[in-house]
Amino acid sequence: MDFALTEEQGLIRNNMREFAERYVEPIAAEIDENNRHPVELFRNLAEGGWMGIPIPEQYGGAGADFLTHAVAVEEVSRSCSSTGFTLSFHAGIIGIALLLSGTEDQKQKYLVPLAQGRHLGSFALTEPGAGTDVMSVSTHAVRDEQGYIINGTKTFVSNGPIADTYIVFCWTDKSAGRNGMSAFIVPRETPGLKPGEHFQKMGLRSSQTSEVVFRDCWIPKENLLGDEGQGLAIAMEGFERGRIGIAAQAVGILQAALDESIRYSKERMQFGKPIARQQAIAWMIADMATDLSAARLLTYHAAYLKDSNQPFGKEASMAKLFATEAAMRHTVKAVQIHGGYGYIKGAKVERLIRDAKIAEVYEGTSEAQRMVISGKILQRQG
């Protein structure tokens, strides 16, 4: 297999690195400190055509493959993983869900402004009593003559306070089990939809997260995404794509940890020489670089399989599991290399370690990934 990026993918990688260094890096610490969604940054991303990288040009996107999308997410996350996550979530989950399951009218009305960056998307599934156990959601949609009435509360909703378009998952027939959940497109201005305040999170602080409450929220039947009963399938497909995006985000975090560790260890003098020449430090860097290469290859392989229309769920879970745990493990080492300076607010490695932790949790915890991987392997062997 040829692991080299194509000329076009390499060009996009370089462009995204230049964009991140020019626009993202200078404000990354500030937006983290202030929990601020950088409207100006996403306006720049939209103007550059980066908000819909894996969406076809006919719907306002760049028409690139999913591997290119992963490369872009990695490069942005290297400077600010909050921004990288929002980019990944918006295009890779919400945008592609509309592309794969939406009607032509839905694509024109909702996908085009999302891909162009004029609107921001959200995906509302998790509830206060339902995380990994998706079947425990309680939000329901009752059908009337012209549409559906939604009632329930979602939590940990990414882009919850600021989204223009929500994909919401509800029971339409709970007695049907896995075939009883449906997905709906709910515009922000819909009466009865109330976003909550942004959560004060440990990391990923500029990525906006909140509860979203639905009280007698009526939507027309035209806003059903796919058919009734397809909601769980749409959600699971979204998670598989999202896991590639989170893996790419983790690769970006790990690359940044390596960059900072190399720079600091060459500058920091102890016992008359740079600490990079101390074997204990050099070996930390060697392990960091090795795991970075492995994480990147796993991530690119999962994206390649998706682009090749091959099954990729197991590989996406493997990439997420390995990349996120490696990012957490090595951001801890990066802080260790920096010593006391790495523990000070404002040090990039201090932000990296906080941002890395959530990657092991959302889009399916590490434990859930092991369940997915082992389940697929044992099913195949059986």
Side-chain angles (χ1 to χ4, degrees), residues 189-209:
E189 64 273 13
T190 304
L193 186 159
K194 184 179 180 181
E197 294 294 321
H198 172 47
F199 293 149
Q200 295 286 330
K201 307 193 299 290
M202 178 175 76
L204 221 69
R205 288 167 55 83
S206 74
S207 170
Q208 305 292 292
T209 311

Side-chain angles (χ1 to χ4, degrees), residues 223-253:
N223 283 40
L224 174 67
L225 182 62
D227 296 327
E228 274 198 19
Q230 289 186 336
L232 187 60
I234 291 171
M236 294 302 104
E237 290 171 0
F239 284 148
E240 287 186 346
R241 294 189 303 274
R243 286 163 187 162
I244 298 175
I246 301 305
Q249 176 195 351
V251 171
I253 292 172

Side-chain angles (χ1 to χ4, degrees), residues 80 159 178 201 221 232 270 304 320 351 355 376:
C80 173
N159 294 342
R178 297 178 66 86
K201 307 193 299 290
K221 60 184 179 181
L232 187 60
Q270 289 287 277
Y304 160 79
K320 182 187 184 296
R351 171 162 50 89
D355 287 352
K376 289 183 179 295

Side-chain angles (χ1 to χ4, degrees), residues 102-165:
T103 65
E104 187 60 30
D105 286 345
Q106 289 172 342
K107 292 173 187 177
Q108 294 297 332
K109 186 174 183 179
Y110 299 108
L111 177 56
V112 170
L114 286 171
Q116 292 176 342
R118 293 186 287 115
H119 287 177
L120 201 61
S122 187
F123 188 91
L125 176 61
T126 300
E127 298 184 3
T132 301
D133 182 9
V134 174
M135 299 297 287
S136 293
V137 302
S138 60
T139 300
H140 57 275
V142 177
R143 188 168 186 172
D144 65 15
E145 292 183 359
Q146 300 297 324
Y148 297 84
I149 302 170
I150 299 176
N151 279 282
T153 299
K154 300 294 185 179
T155 194
F156 298 128
V157 181
S158 297
N159 294 342
I162 56 174
D164 300 284
T165 304

